[in-house]
Amino acid sequence: MTGESASRRTSKEDSVEGGTKGDDGPAQVAPAKKFPAKLMQSKSDENEIQVLERLDHGGNEGVQENKQAASAVGWVCCAPCIWLRTSTTVHKIALTAATLLVTSLLVVSPILFLISTAPSQAPRDCLTHKLEDCFATQQPPPECTTEDCRVAAMTIYARMNAKLDPCRDFKSYSCSPIINNSMSVVKSSQEGVDLQMQGLLESNTSSGVFHKLGRLYESCLRQSLNATSIRLLLEGLGGYLPSGSLGPSSIGPLISKIAALGPTPLIGIYFDLSYGRKPQIMLIIDGPTTTQYDGWDQKAPPYKIRNDVPELLDDLMNVFLPSSLSKEQRQSEKDLIRNFVSELNRNTIRWMGPKAPPYKIRNDVPELLDDLMNVFLPSSLSKEQRQSEKDLIRNFVSELNRLRQHHLDRDFSNSYVVYNVTTLSATYSYLKWNDVIPQNWSGPIVVRSLAYFNRLHTLLSPLKHQTRVIHNALLLLFALGALPPTHPSPVACTKATMWALPQASSALYMAHHSIETVRKSINRVEILFETLKAHLKRAPSLRGAALVKLSSLKIQANPWPLWYNQTKIGEMLDMVDITADNWFENILKLYKLQQQQFPNDNMTMDSHVAWAYPILAQSFYDTLSHSIVVPLSVVLVPYFKPKLPPYMHYSSVGVQIAKEILRSITRAFEDKALKCVPGSVNVFSNSSRMDILIHSGGMQIAYHSLLSLTGPIKGMERLGGLNLTPTQIFYLVSAQELCADSLYAGIDTDSDDFTDILGWLIAQGGSANDVFHCPHGSVINTKKTCNIL
């Protein structure tokens, strides 16, 4: 054995001191607590040293220094490993780290699973090359395949121009010119009623319950402005006062004479109820409400109705129901009709019967004024004199119309009560109130529109206009109030007939709509109303009195029960003497008959129920009943059919009801209207900035209510062939409805002003900017200025 081998063996024995020696087997080490940590060495440490020794031995077997250096290097490299293996602190840290790692994996694994299984990001479409103008392309909703949806899509497409950019010119995009007078385009609700009523009147001229309506319609078609009856009546009221003549000292006597014959051009008098648990009958004095060229606010005479079903209802149903029905089907239909009528009749009707929506006043003179002046002014006048007289009369009429437009109130917020004619005469001495107020009336008198009556005193002053000019103008306005609104035509005479006999016309309209259809339509509109209210209640800016008023607000869409009682309608028409050739005389007879009506005293809180004429397609807010009154012509429209998607309902009927809800709960928009409504609103001669602001608010409410009901696109089927999302169709239909209503009302929808205001309305009505993905700088993007709530 060489010295080197002995040294190596001695070193090995030293390294395993205290254990069993062996060349191959592992050393059996005693428990660690008996040995200092610096003396412990693992087998792996030993192997590393042996490897180093082997490498060194092959290179220089005789040099002891090299072996010692290799042994020292091995010790330095393995010292940290030895410390890590032997440190109790390191063991605790390692155990804690492992526990935290396992816990983290248990928490994060569900999230990682969801991320791994989520669909890939939807593709993105870009309007420009800028990344911020890109938007996610969503999966299209399912398509509605019913016949109603197909027809609706066709009517919408017939008026739109899909090649244009809605973000730049929404009016041209949604309301392009009608090609070839297409009958497929959406029409104004009122236009639809008028066309239907025209056909019904033309087919009821010779027989049947409604034949007097047909005769009245025919007398309108035959009416001429130079009729002898008109000239004689105006002569009896004083006739034309020529230039240079001394006019009357007061206009009161003339108004008294006119009031005895027909509607006056200055004031309107009717009865209504006070508010409260014990309502009182009140005599209301307001601005003129029966002049046709201003719109329709005809007050109906009282007709009492029994609280059960009409006596002849069963007999009438036997005639009305088809004979092909089986006995069970016939009985089932009778029960449905009887229950519906009985439910309506359980409410005590408001004595005055139905109401018309607030009338609109045109800012110009009546259409027939010039033609009537040609008949009224003497033919002996020179051309210059005739033109001078026309200008004087036209100026007075125009000022009167502007006065009525700006100062007639829609509600009773600006009114006062007097209890005798003496007080009234002392306040407004320019009229002889004893002659125009019913002589046997001793109850409260409510004067509405105080600003109107105060300014009327100035208008009638001799310092403002010559009294002879006022006299001549009032005679012409009285005649125009009884004549059709325009030259005789089927459409004009249809409107005039409905104005003259609203009860009978409404009954004729209702006779051609089944009770089941009416009942289902009313049910849908009530659900829609509650949805709109529910959304508004969550509005953060709505609080206090407005929220209280909203909670108690009701909707009234039921038809007046009288319209189902054709026996009663026949009795009403029997009281009227209709001359087939003289419309003017017929109207004066009807007015005389109405003056004979007087309210009954059997009033309760239920009498506050307001009924609407179904033939007037305009919802309105009734202050006394605190309800939104919805005529049937508003809900019996193509876009409110039950099988259409909900966005069609909300964009048409929903917007109209939301506007009136907004009008009913607050009047705090004056400042906002002046700040954010553009000046182009003046194109709407029948509207104010407030009306346009409320229209935009109605769109906002309807749009967000729709989303809160269904989500942006979830659950809403799209209309086939339009390639539009449901929310895009909401704005498109809202715009087309406004275009159709404005066009039928005589507004120039091709003007730049109308284009401007329509684009502004669409921009305010919810989120049109996002719905149409309008890029920065587009018209819709920049016009968003007003948020109602």
Side-chain angles (χ1 to χ4, degrees):
M1 181 182 300
T2 65
E4 181 180 348
S5 302
S7 175
R8 186 166 58 247
R9 186 173 65 250
T10 302
S11 176
K12 183 175 182 181
E13 291 173 353
D14 293 340
S15 65
V16 295
E17 182 180 353
T20 304
K21 298 178 182 180
D23 295 336
D24 301 322
Q28 298 179 5
V29 184
K33 63 180 182 178
K34 296 183 179 180
F35 298 96
K38 62 180 181 178
L39 297 179
M40 297 182 64
Q41 186 176 7
S42 67
K43 184 178 174 71
S44 61
D45 297 333
E46 180 183 354
N47 292 338
E48 291 177 6
I49 296 173
Q50 289 177 352
V51 169
L52 290 173
E53 288 179 332
R54 234 181 254 119
L55 292 173
D56 182 69
H57 177 69
N60 189 0
E61 296 181 357
V63 184
Q64 183 69 25
E65 290 83 357
N66 289 345
K67 293 187 291 182
Q68 294 175 351
S71 178
V73 170
W75 175 258
V76 171
C77 293
C78 296
C81 300
I82 296 170
W83 178 77
L84 289 174
R85 288 178 58 88
T86 60
S87 174
T88 305
T89 303
V90 171
H91 288 176
K92 291 180 180 180
I93 293 174
L95 183 61
T96 302
T99 303
L100 290 176
L101 178 62
V102 172
T103 304
S104 300
L105 289 174
L106 291 175
V107 173
V108 175
S109 57
I111 300 175
L112 295 175
F113 173 77
L114 292 176
I115 294 175
S116 64
T117 58
S120 60
Q121 185 178 4
R124 300 176 70 84
D125 294 336
C126 294
L127 299 175
T128 67
H129 295 294
K130 297 180 180 179
L131 182 60
E132 60 267 23
D133 290 332
C134 298
F135 59 92
T137 302
Q138 304 202 11
Q139 293 296 323
E143 183 175 309
C144 177
T145 58
T146 65
E147 178 64 15
D148 288 341
C149 287
R150 187 190 68 80
V151 173
M154 184 172 61
T155 59
I156 294 172
Y157 184 77
R159 192 67 196 271
M160 68 177 292
N161 188 343
K163 297 179 181 179
L164 299 179
D165 183 2
C167 299
R168 299 184 182 276
D169 186 358
F170 202 89
K171 188 267 174 180
S172 299
Y173 169 78
S174 59
C175 304
S176 61
I178 303 173
I179 301 175
N180 299 326
N181 294 321
S182 174
M183 297 298 293
S184 300
V185 296
V186 61
K187 291 182 172 60
S188 163
S189 301
Q190 189 62 58
E191 183 180 4
V193 174
D194 293 346
L195 291 174
Q196 183 178 3
M197 285 299 298
Q198 178 184 331
L200 294 175
L201 290 173
E202 290 174 349
S203 60
N204 284 273
T205 58
S206 57
S207 62
V209 176
F210 302 102
H211 75 279
K212 285 192 176 182
L213 269 178
R215 294 182 65 187
L216 183 63
Y217 169 79
E218 288 183 328
S219 72
C220 173
L221 293 174
R222 299 187 180 99
Q223 180 67 56
S224 64
L225 295 179
N226 62 354
T228 304
S229 57
I230 298 177
R231 286 188 276 109
L232 289 177
L233 186 62
L234 296 183
E235 287 294 330
L237 292 172
Y240 168 70
L241 296 182
S243 177
S245 63
L246 185 63
S249 59
S250 171
I251 210 69
L254 176 61
I255 296 299
S256 299
K257 293 178 182 179
I258 291 176
L261 296 173
T264 74
L266 294 181
I267 62 172
I269 297 178
Y270 59 94
F271 294 98
D272 214 324
L273 298 180
S274 65
Y275 185 76
R277 295 183 179 277
K278 295 182 179 180
Q280 272 187 298
I281 300 172
M282 306 178 299
L283 183 71
I284 310 298
I285 298 176
D286 201 354
T289 57
T290 56
T291 310
Q292 293 188 55
Y293 59 81
D294 289 335
W296 188 12
D297 198 17
Q298 176 77 29
K299 302 301 178 181
Y303 293 102
K304 299 181 71 175
I305 200 165
R306 295 180 60 85
N307 283 333
D308 50 8
V309 295
E311 183 178 348
L312 297 181
L313 180 61
D314 281 340
D315 294 336
L316 184 61
M317 287 192 292
N318 288 332
V319 178
F320 175 72
L321 295 174
S323 57
S324 58
L325 295 178
S326 65
K327 183 178 180 180
E328 292 76 13
Q329 290 174 325
R330 179 177 291 271
Q331 187 59 45
S332 175
E333 289 295 300
K334 282 186 175 183
D335 291 341
L336 287 173
I337 295 174
R338 188 182 294 105
N339 290 339
F340 181 75
V341 174
S342 179
E343 182 178 350
L344 291 177
N345 287 345
R346 278 196 289 271
N347 293 320
T348 304
I349 65 168
R350 197 172 184 170
W351 78 266
M352 55 166 297
K355 292 188 67 178
Y359 49 89
K360 297 179 179 179
I361 301 172
R362 296 187 61 84
N363 200 26
D364 51 7
V365 296
E367 184 175 336
L368 296 181
L369 181 61
D370 279 343
D371 294 336
L372 188 59
M373 284 193 292
N374 289 332
V375 176
F376 177 71
L377 296 174
S379 57
S380 58
L381 295 179
S382 66
K383 183 178 180 180
E384 291 76 13
Q385 290 174 325
R386 180 177 291 270
Q387 188 59 48
S388 175
E389 290 292 277
K390 283 186 175 182
D391 290 340
L392 290 171
I393 293 173
R394 189 182 294 109
N395 288 339
F396 175 83
V397 172
S398 180
E399 284 191 47
L400 178 61
N401 275 348
R402 285 197 296 270
L403 195 68
R404 294 160 62 188
Q405 180 186 25
H406 295 297
H407 299 292
L408 287 182
D409 294 334
R410 285 180 174 232
D411 54 34
F412 288 84
S413 59
N414 183 21
S415 306
Y416 79 97
V417 181
V418 297
Y419 289 92
N420 57 67
V421 180
T422 303
T423 305
L424 195 61
S425 299
T427 308
Y428 306 110
S429 57
Y430 50 86
L431 293 179
K432 298 181 66 175
W433 295 101
N434 284 312
D435 294 338
V436 297
I437 289 180
Q439 295 180 357
N440 56 351
W441 178 254
S442 59
I445 302 172
V446 177
V447 181
R448 292 181 59 182
S449 307
L450 302 183
Y452 167 76
F453 282 102
N454 291 333
R455 286 170 171 79
L456 186 62
H457 179 66
T458 303
L459 181 65
L460 298 177
S461 169
L463 299 177
K464 185 75 173 177
H465 295 277
Q466 303 174 39
T467 55
R468 72 167 195 91
V469 174
I470 298 174
H471 169 91
N472 292 338
L474 291 179
L475 288 182
L476 292 171
L477 288 176
F478 163 64
L480 288 172
L483 287 169
T486 62
H487 290 286
S489 69
V491 174
C493 289
T494 297
K495 288 176 172 290
T497 302
M498 293 191 298
W499 168 83
L501 284 174
Q503 270 80 8
S505 298
S506 298
L508 177 60
Y509 176 80
M510 293 296 300
H512 289 265
H513 293 87
S514 71
I515 292 180
E516 185 65 13
T517 299
V518 170
R519 185 182 61 80
K520 290 181 178 179
S521 298
I522 293 173
N523 183 60
R524 287 199 308 279
V525 82
E526 288 174 346
I527 294 174
L528 187 149
F529 171 75
E530 293 300 330
T531 304
L532 296 172
K533 276 183 60 175
H535 170 73
L536 266 177
K537 286 180 179 179
R538 297 190 294 269
S541 60
L542 196 65
R543 57 178 64 93
L547 193 58
V548 173
K549 291 186 69 176
L550 178 64
S551 298
S552 60
L553 186 66
K554 303 179 292 295
I555 192 165
Q556 163 56 12
N558 288 315
W560 198 23
L562 174 67
W563 294 321
Y564 291 103
N565 189 342
Q566 294 194 7
T567 301
K568 189 69 176 180
I569 294 295
E571 293 175 1
M572 291 166 49
L573 290 174
D574 287 341
M575 298 164 58
V576 181
D577 181 21
I578 299 297
T579 304
D581 295 326
N582 198 319
W583 166 273
F584 188 76
E585 287 186 1
N586 290 334
I587 295 302
L588 296 184
K589 291 176 185 177
L590 289 171
Y591 185 81
K592 204 71 172 177
L593 182 64
Q594 182 178 337
Q595 284 184 315
Q596 298 172 5
Q597 308 295 334
F598 200 76
N600 63 73
D601 296 323
N602 187 21
M603 297 290 109
T604 66
M605 279 193 68
D606 292 334
S607 302
H608 284 129
V609 176
W611 311 92
Y613 292 108
I615 50 179
L616 294 180
Q618 181 185 345
S619 301
F620 62 95
Y621 170 59
D622 180 62
T623 54
L624 286 182
S625 62
H626 189 46
S627 59
I628 308 301
V629 185
V630 183
L632 280 178
S633 54
V634 170
V635 299
L636 295 177
V637 291
Y639 286 170
F640 202 63
K641 290 184 176 180
K643 294 184 179 180
L644 288 176
Y647 54 84
M648 300 295 290
H649 300 167
Y650 279 80
S651 59
S652 53
V653 178
V655 171
Q656 188 171 150
I657 294 177
K659 286 164 49 181
E660 299 309 315
I661 294 177
L662 194 59
R663 199 189 309 275
S664 71
I665 60 176
T666 181
R667 300 183 65 184
F669 301 129
E670 284 82 358
D671 293 338
K672 180 174 284 190
L674 294 176
K675 292 177 182 177
C676 67
V677 178
S680 54
V681 69
N682 295 328
V683 68
F684 292 93
S685 59
N686 294 333
S687 304
S688 65
R689 288 174 179 261
M690 188 61 56
D691 293 323
I692 296 301
L693 186 66
I694 287 178
H695 190 106
S696 71
M699 288 185 62
Q700 292 175 30
I701 295 169
Y703 176 76
H704 290 296
S705 298
L706 173 67
L707 296 190
S708 67
L709 176 68
T710 61
I713 60 172
K714 182 179 178 182
M716 291 190 282
E717 296 179 317
R718 61 188 178 91
L719 299 181
L722 290 182
N723 195 26
L724 295 170
T725 66
T727 46
Q728 288 173 336
I729 296 178
F730 173 90
Y731 290 105
L732 185 61
V733 171
S734 296
Q736 290 186 344
E737 292 255 321
L738 181 61
C739 289
D741 291 338
S742 301
L743 184 64
Y744 194 62
I747 295 174
D748 183 9
T749 57
D750 293 326
S751 67
D752 292 338
D753 284 336
F754 183 85
T755 299
D756 225 22
I757 197 64
L758 178 60
W760 183 87
L761 281 171
I762 294 298
Q764 315 315 309
S767 305
N769 182 47
D770 298 329
V771 167
F772 288 97
H773 315 295
C774 295
H776 298 292
S778 65
V779 177
I780 295 296
N781 193 306
T782 58
K783 281 190 174 183
K784 180 73 171 178
T785 56
C786 286
N787 283 320
I788 291 295
L789 299 173

